[in-house]
Amino acid sequence: MSDDARLTELRAEVGRVTQTPLPALIAADPARATDFTVKVGPVYASFARQRYDRAALDWLFGAAGVVDSVGRLRALFDGEIVNVTERRPALHSALRSDLSASDIARAAHAQALEARRRMRAVVDALAASEVTDIVSVGIGGSDLGPRLAVDALTGATPGRFRVHFLSNVDGHAAQRVLAGLDPKRTAALLISKTFGTQETLLNGGILRDWLGDDSRLYAISANVERAADAFNIPSERILPMWDWVGGRYSLWSAVGLPIALAIGMDAFEQFLDGAAEMDAHVLRTPLQNNLAAWHALTAIWNRNGLRYATQAVLAYDDRLKLLSNYLQQLVMESLGKSVRLDGSAVAGDTVAVWWGGVGTDTQHSFFQALHQGTSIVPADFIGVVRSDAPYAQNHRALQANLLAQTEAFANGQGSDDPHRVYAGGRPSTTILLDALTPHSLGALLAMYEHSVYLQSVFWGINAFDQFGVELGKQVASRLLPALAGEAEADDPVTRELIRQLRG
């Protein structure tokens, strides 16, 4: 079946389903409250409030079979060339699980185990030193994943190290991070796959000068020679990255060293174990019972069928306040493509714009638009069953708000006053973690990774390149001499803006 034909069938299904309002769909099939759910280890997900019915789901799972989703998952785990534009495998699953008998995947897993052994040695050596603070320097995938995990998993009681993150090239960011730190009790991690990233090199230079010597500088990179040359870091203080792991999929590797330093290496291993549990589920479970497949097909239904242009992720746990930032990169950098693997144009739309925040704060900012605005925004609501905080009444209130918002989104409320009408019909998925632990967070993030990949398979696009990131970098490098007064920009608007910036 061609892409156009599949899209036509999808929209025909949508046209049939949307004749029935969401509350009526739910009322007509009460069993969906239990049947439209999937539980994997510590992660439970309910899709009962999505705007489809059983027949539509049958069509979606059938379409996923037509594009060989199961076979493409096996290809991913086996280390086949799934990143076709860069001629690389994408073996992030091998960083945490050993689910393939292929030589390529097993070799990658062996390399990952050796890197973890070296990570543990670094953690132990720093723990035996006088270092109290770690500054992690990176950007994009070298920053967002570790930053999220450290923020989510660092408990109320400080661990052995305080971990700080520096990503933005804006010098004020470095100034704020370093304020109050003692250079003699601080170590810096410079994380860059190529060691050519402008932001990391500039901020790394600031850290090196601030530390006063190179003895507490560490690097995580695929370019060992460049890291050694640029910052005089000996090889024993350089941990590996590989070209078969993309930056936004790399927090499971030595890029996760900030996580291991913040929560301990044993807890970092539990984080990997949670992801490995999700890997096994996704690879071995039929699509109809597969959590990542449900999530991916729901995203396709909402984007291509219902044509919703944005997607919210709303975490009802303050420790997950950075989740929406992390998922913005994972989803939008992976799926922000307009051509298929063969270079032809994609039929229909691909990725929605992902955004969000943390409840209950966001209820007092943008929820007005979600409830009564003219655009429908599907949402992932994420909650936690058991809280670690000793404030039971607060946690019950948090859970009540999560439940209330998902119910109100779906059902709405009528009124004689048009200003007080809530139309309802807003679809959402509710995801619950048993507790927020390294294991459960690892499982949750791996689920999103696999959902993204399955969406890319459906659309026939490459989830692992990011050429769209490069153009702005190239132009910025070209404009640096113009800003320094050593050249003139070609673009007339840019020339005038540079004149204003130079005063």
Side-chain angles (χ1 to χ4, degrees):
M1 181 189 299
S2 71
D3 290 348
D4 288 331
R6 188 162 56 248
L7 193 57
T8 299
E9 283 195 10
L10 170 60
R11 288 177 177 163
E13 281 295 308
V14 168
R16 177 186 61 78
V17 173
T18 52
Q19 295 177 30
T20 306
L22 177 56
L25 284 174
I26 297 171
D29 185 8
R32 65 189 277 152
T34 53
D35 292 353
F36 286 22
T37 65
V38 184
K39 180 85 160 67
V40 183
V43 182
Y44 166 94
S46 171
F47 300 90
R49 287 190 169 124
Q50 289 292 340
R51 202 173 176 185
Y52 42 46
D53 61 10
R54 293 177 189 268
L57 280 170
D58 287 343
W59 184 91
L60 285 167
F61 285 114
V66 168
V67 297
D68 192 23
S69 294
V70 172
R72 297 318 298 159
L73 277 170
R74 172 51 69 185
L76 177 77
F77 279 83
D78 284 348
E80 293 185 21
I81 304 296
V82 293
N83 181 354
V84 297
T85 56
E86 298 177 299
R87 303 299 303 163
R88 296 173 182 168
L91 275 167
H92 44 280
S93 60
L95 297 171
R96 65 228 184 183
S97 55
D98 188 14
L99 296 170
S100 173
S102 79
D103 291 341
I104 293 172
R106 298 191 73 175
H109 186 64
Q111 288 179 278
L113 291 177
E114 172 59 19
R116 277 149 64 179
R117 183 194 66 77
R118 292 186 59 198
M119 286 175 67
R120 186 177 289 275
V122 170
V123 172
D124 291 345
L126 284 169
S129 74
E130 295 183 353
V131 169
T132 57
D133 291 87
I134 308 293
V135 178
S136 179
V137 181
I139 197 165
S142 298
D143 173 77
L144 287 166
R147 189 189 291 257
L148 161 67
V150 168
D151 196 58
L153 299 175
T154 300
T157 303
R160 170 64 181 83
F161 302 102
R162 294 176 297 182
V163 179
H164 316 267
F165 291 89
L166 178 57
S167 60
N168 200 320
V169 73
D170 187 338
H172 296 96
Q175 192 175 43
R176 288 182 176 184
V177 167
L178 299 181
L181 299 183
D182 180 354
K184 298 189 183 311
R185 299 176 68 84
T186 302
L189 315 177
L190 310 184
I191 307 176
S192 175
K193 188 172 185 178
T194 63
F195 239 77
T197 306
Q198 182 187 60
E199 294 92 339
T200 303
L201 293 178
L202 287 169
N203 284 330
I206 291 172
L207 261 294
R208 178 186 55 197
D209 295 343
W210 180 80
L211 287 171
D213 63 66
D214 303 328
S215 63
R216 293 181 307 286
L217 274 179
Y218 295 77
I220 298 97
S221 181
N223 193 337
V224 175
E225 294 79 10
R226 192 164 187 175
D229 292 344
F231 287 91
N232 196 33
I233 303 175
S235 59
E236 62 268 21
R237 281 194 266 123
I238 303 175
L239 296 177
M241 295 173 69
W242 307 277
D243 65 4
W244 40 265
V245 178
R248 58 193 175 277
Y249 299 91
S250 66
L251 77 166
W252 320 101
S253 71
V255 171
L257 182 58
I259 309 171
L261 287 164
I263 66 175
M265 193 65 196
D266 289 344
F268 180 72
E269 297 274 5
Q270 294 165 19
F271 178 63
L272 300 183
D273 289 343
E277 181 177 20
M278 186 60 66
D279 289 340
H281 163 80
V282 170
L283 183 62
R284 296 169 175 167
T285 306
L287 295 178
Q288 288 80 356
N289 304 110
N290 190 312
L291 177 53
W294 272 82
H295 192 274
L297 293 171
T298 299
I300 290 162
W301 177 264
N302 286 334
R303 186 69 180 112
N304 290 138
L306 294 166
R307 303 188 187 186
Y308 297 144
T310 74
Q311 162 78 35
V313 55
L314 305 166
Y316 276 68
D317 190 302
D318 195 65
R319 296 169 294 177
L320 292 174
K321 62 180 177 289
L322 297 180
L323 181 62
S324 58
N325 303 63
Y326 167 79
L327 290 177
Q328 278 180 334
Q329 188 202 19
L330 175 65
V331 180
M332 294 173 70
E333 194 166 274
S334 298
L335 299 179
K337 313 292 167 59
S338 56
V339 297
R340 293 170 48 80
L341 293 171
D342 62 7
S344 62
V346 170
D349 296 307
T350 56
V351 69
V353 174
W354 275 63
W355 60 289
V358 66
T360 56
D361 286 347
T362 49
Q363 293 176 199
H364 298 270
S365 57
F366 56 72
F367 268 46
Q368 169 63 38
L370 299 188
H371 281 292
Q372 291 187 307
T374 56
S375 295
I376 293 180
V377 179
D380 283 0
F381 283 84
I382 300 171
V384 176
V385 176
R386 297 188 304 276
S387 173
D388 294 332
Y391 311 114
Q393 188 172 351
N394 287 58
H395 193 57
R396 282 193 296 273
L398 186 70
Q399 292 178 329
N401 276 275
L402 182 155
L403 296 174
Q405 293 297 331
T406 58
E407 182 178 314
F409 269 35
N411 298 339
Q413 179 177 281
S415 173
D416 294 333
D417 180 353
H419 300 284
R420 298 178 185 274
V421 170
Y422 296 80
R426 271 65 171 162
S428 65
T429 295
T430 300
I431 299 172
L432 301 177
L433 306 181
D434 288 348
L436 182 51
T437 64
H439 188 94
S440 68
L441 183 63
L444 178 70
L445 300 189
M447 186 280 291
Y448 275 107
E449 287 182 349
H450 291 306
S451 171
V452 164
Y453 177 63
L454 287 170
Q455 289 173 65
S456 77
V457 169
F458 190 94
W459 288 319
I461 61 177
N462 185 357
F464 302 110
D465 65 20
Q466 59 276 336
F467 296 123
V469 177
E470 299 304 319
L471 179 59
K473 291 181 178 181
Q474 294 165 11
V475 176
S477 297
R478 195 168 69 239
L479 291 177
L480 279 172
L483 281 162
E486 299 168 357
E488 188 171 82
D490 297 328
D491 183 272
V493 178
T494 302
R495 282 200 301 271
E496 175 58 22
L497 291 171
I498 288 174
R499 190 178 72 82
Q500 294 296 325
L501 287 168
R502 286 177 54 81

